[in-house]
Amino acid sequence: MNTISDPRSAPLAATAAGGHTLLLSDPDQPSYELMCATLKRLGYTVTREESGVDAIGHFSPDKYDLVITDLHLPDMGGLEVLRKIKRLSADTPVVVLACDSEVNDVVQALRLGASDYLLKPLTDEGVIEHAVTRIAEARELAAQNRDYRHQLEERNRELHEHIELLQRDHEAGRQLQQHLLPRTPYHYPAGIEAAFRLLPSLYLSGDFVDYGLFGERFIAFYLVDVSGHGVSSALVTALIKHSIMHLLRERSLFSQLDTIDQDITSVLEMINRELIAAGLDKHASMFVGVVDSRARQLHYAVAGQVPMPALVTSDGARWLSGKGRPLGLFQRGEWEVRHCCLPASWRLVACSDGVLELLAGDLLQKEESLLQMIDRTRGDLDSLCAALKVDTADSFPDDITILTLRQDSP
């Protein structure tokens, strides 16, 4: 094995600097010197072997970047050398040297994985340079592609881990949000029942409900629908729940008949201030009500609520009246507290606007269809959910919440 080097040769920049070539050729061939000179000029250190057996014995893929072999060697054919080299290292490029009369062998060599071929006699070093540099560039591109693939696989692995972590976080958040919700159904004195169905479009919901007994006669409740979806909207619902509970600790709300209306307004004003001050670019619609079980009267206010709550009596279902701006958009919401007398038997149904996404038509048509469903089901939560098919759907375009309160005559 002979190593040929020429200190006068300058490597071609970034093409194959520091590369090693295993050259199998008869040094008596006229093309040999031209081949060696061109390879050295391109920055290759050339190792010459005259025997195919010796060449294969000394070959290792981590040592040689390129193999050039004549199709005619003293001990074996160049095609056999090609087969053995490819068996040892499928990625090592091999160039074959052939005569014009060996076209069939050249075709076979290309089928066996040769990267290129050169026809003897070689008289133009530009032909050699073109073949070698093209192979070097392809090899470099393949190496870059492998690096990119490894980087992509690493990024995909990291993304998969992040998704799993996010899913665990979402599941933890969902469990927390579920823990904050009241029990459903819940029975209060005077035979009043409160219940709800809350179905998020994602892991977490921007809808929220709550209800509670104050004193012995007042049942306060609310439904809030925060704009957007997912984690950020769910966090706002937790903020609203926390703010209301904090307000209840500071003040005795919903316990005196003469302050009920003021208490409802105070809740809306407080949430409106906090949403504006938080600067979260979130707003909310809300329905707040208090049932006076002794006086059989409903006190309520709406803040941008769509659709309006519906009251079901023996006369059928009808929308409640009222107006008020959404929370978090305006300093003054112009909310008004209204009153409604309740018969011995009644149903109250409040829905978030996600319910309308389940119905066809424009807004007025959707509201009319929803009111007809509420009327047909008599405001029964399970029957209404069945009519809307909310319990059987796989996914929803928006969070869906239905809150019902009911009282039946003795």
Side-chain angles (χ1 to χ4, degrees):
M1 178 173 66
N2 299 316
T3 301
I4 304 172
S5 61
D6 186 350
R8 296 171 297 177
S9 62
L12 184 63
T15 301
H20 289 74
T21 299
L22 179 60
L23 175 61
L24 287 81
S25 179
D26 185 351
D28 293 333
Q29 290 280 353
S31 306
Y32 178 74
E33 293 297 337
L34 180 63
M35 177 72 72
C36 288
T38 304
L39 289 170
K40 288 188 293 182
R41 184 171 59 81
L42 294 176
Y44 283 90
T45 298
V46 180
T47 300
R48 178 176 61 84
E49 294 285 358
E50 297 180 17
S51 164
V53 173
D54 290 341
I56 293 170
H58 290 109
F59 172 79
S60 63
D62 58 341
K63 184 175 181 181
Y64 295 104
D65 303 296
L66 175 64
V67 173
I68 302 175
T69 180
D70 201 309
L71 286 179
H72 292 285
L73 297 171
D75 57 343
M76 68 174 64
L79 292 179
E80 184 61 23
V81 173
L82 172 60
R83 287 190 185 94
K84 292 183 180 297
I85 292 295
K86 285 297 180 180
R87 192 174 298 124
L88 293 170
S89 174
D91 294 332
T92 299
V94 178
V95 177
V96 296
L97 302 175
C99 299
D100 288 332
S101 60
E102 300 173 323
V103 175
N104 291 335
D105 288 341
V106 169
V107 173
Q108 182 65 14
L110 294 175
R111 289 175 177 171
L112 291 173
S115 299
D116 207 343
Y117 66 94
L118 296 171
L119 294 178
K120 301 182 295 183
L122 294 171
T123 58
D124 184 359
E125 68 176 20
V127 175
I128 303 172
E129 179 177 340
H130 175 73
V132 174
T133 55
R134 185 181 63 80
I135 290 172
E137 290 170 354
R139 189 178 179 89
E140 183 178 357
L141 180 61
Q144 291 176 354
N145 288 337
R146 285 194 299 271
D147 289 341
Y148 292 150
R149 184 172 64 253
H150 293 157
Q151 292 175 13
L152 181 60
E153 291 172 353
E154 180 65 18
R155 296 294 182 272
N156 286 338
R157 184 188 62 78
E158 292 176 354
L159 179 61
H160 182 70
E161 292 177 352
H162 290 162
I163 290 175
E164 287 185 342
L165 178 60
L166 184 61
Q167 288 175 338
R168 290 196 296 269
D169 288 346
H170 280 178
E171 179 60 24
R174 189 183 72 84
Q175 293 292 339
L176 176 60
Q177 190 176 51
Q178 291 292 320
H179 181 73
L180 294 175
L181 290 166
R183 283 184 290 171
T184 180
Y186 196 84
H187 298 276
Y188 293 103
I192 296 176
E193 177 194 274
F196 70 92
R197 190 84 92 252
L198 191 153
L199 301 162
S201 59
L202 300 173
Y203 277 94
L204 300 169
S205 175
D207 293 354
F208 197 79
V209 299
D210 205 358
Y211 36 74
L213 176 66
F214 295 82
E216 297 179 354
R217 59 185 286 190
F218 299 110
I219 300 168
F221 58 91
Y222 67 83
L223 184 154
V224 62
D225 181 357
V226 178
S227 61
H229 309 278
V231 177
S232 60
S233 298
L235 289 174
V236 175
T237 66
L239 170 66
I240 291 173
K241 164 85 172 184
H242 171 76
S243 299
I244 292 176
M245 296 304 296
H246 184 71
L247 185 62
L248 288 172
R249 286 193 296 269
E250 290 183 340
R251 296 171 51 183
S252 179
L253 299 177
F254 311 126
S255 58
Q256 300 295 326
L257 179 60
D258 56 353
T259 61
I260 290 292
D261 293 0
Q262 180 182 344
D263 294 340
I264 291 175
T265 303
S266 296
V267 169
L268 294 174
E269 290 175 344
M270 180 267 299
I271 297 174
N272 187 62
R273 285 195 307 271
E274 294 205 353
L275 287 180
I276 292 175
L280 299 174
D281 194 27
K282 292 288 185 181
H283 63 276
S285 61
M286 194 168 186
F287 170 49
V288 185
V290 177
V291 173
D292 182 351
S293 60
R294 183 180 301 171
R296 291 190 176 278
Q297 190 171 50
L298 170 66
H299 304 245
Y300 70 92
V302 293
Q305 178 69 24
V306 176
M308 288 292 291
L311 182 64
V312 184
T313 64
S314 58
D315 296 328
R318 64 178 177 86
W319 298 123
L320 294 179
S321 60
K323 64 178 182 178
R325 293 173 174 175
L327 306 171
L329 295 177
F330 308 96
Q331 294 294 337
R332 297 179 60 85
E334 299 180 359
W335 307 290
E336 55 183 26
V337 178
R338 298 203 172 192
H339 310 102
C340 176
C341 292
L342 299 172
S345 295
W346 54 270
R347 306 285 190 279
L348 181 64
V349 180
C351 303
S352 64
D353 61 2
V355 171
L356 298 178
E357 298 296 325
L358 305 176
L359 304 172
D362 58 27
L363 178 59
L364 292 179
Q365 292 170 330
K366 291 179 178 182
E367 289 181 331
E368 180 61 26
S369 297
L370 178 60
L371 187 61
Q372 291 175 3
M373 284 187 178
I374 294 173
D375 185 60
R376 287 196 303 268
T377 60
R378 304 301 300 160
D380 179 73
L381 179 60
D382 292 335
S383 300
L384 180 57
C385 288
L388 291 167
K389 300 179 180 178
V390 298
D391 292 328
T392 56
D394 294 330
S395 61
F396 306 100
D398 195 4
D399 301 326
I400 292 176
T401 301
I402 303 173
L403 169 66
T404 64
L405 282 89
R406 60 187 294 173
Q407 184 179 31
D408 296 318
S409 58

